[in-house]
Amino acid sequence: MALYDWNHDGKKDWPDNYIEYPIYKDANGQKKNSSYTPSNGISTFGAILSTVGGLFLGAGIVALFAGDNAENVPVVITIVLWIICSSVLAVFCDNHGI
């Protein structure tokens, strides 16, 4: 069923469907001449590795720079470091096929 009255006759009928279908098909499908090849992403193991590894790497950075005062570091800083480290590890896993 057409979403728009393309021929402006006040009805969304088969001529509107005929006009709208190629637009819908082009918008949802990849073109054959496209050079874009989507990445499969990282595996489940890579996702778990980047999450857990990012947590330990972020905690290690906090411990390295804070030293004995690690408990005084705000939680927001630890979470931001965790996100950054996990993202870096996820990109590493994606690039190396892990």
Side-chain angles (χ1 to χ4, degrees):
M1 178 97 190
L3 299 174
Y4 183 75
D5 183 21
W6 292 98
N7 57 0
H8 303 292
D9 65 351
K11 300 180 279 186
K12 296 178 186 173
D13 50 2
W14 70 269
D16 298 319
N17 290 339
Y18 181 77
I19 294 169
E20 192 170 280
Y21 180 72
I23 298 169
Y24 171 77
K25 192 169 98 174
D26 287 342
N28 286 337
Q30 289 185 1
K31 297 182 179 177
K32 294 178 183 176
N33 297 333
S34 177
S35 63
Y36 172 72
T37 55
S39 172
N40 291 334
I42 61 175
S43 64
T44 304
F45 175 73
I48 293 171
L49 179 71
S50 67
T51 304
V52 175
L55 175 64
F56 284 109
L57 190 60
I61 291 171
V62 167
L64 180 68
F65 287 111
D68 293 334
N69 296 326
E71 62 272 357
N72 294 333
V73 175
V75 175
V76 175
I77 293 176
T78 307
I79 292 172
V80 169
L81 279 172
W82 182 16
I83 292 170
I84 291 171
C85 293
S86 294
S87 300
V88 168
L89 287 174
V91 169
F92 176 80
C93 289
D94 188 30
N95 288 340
H96 289 80
I98 296 174

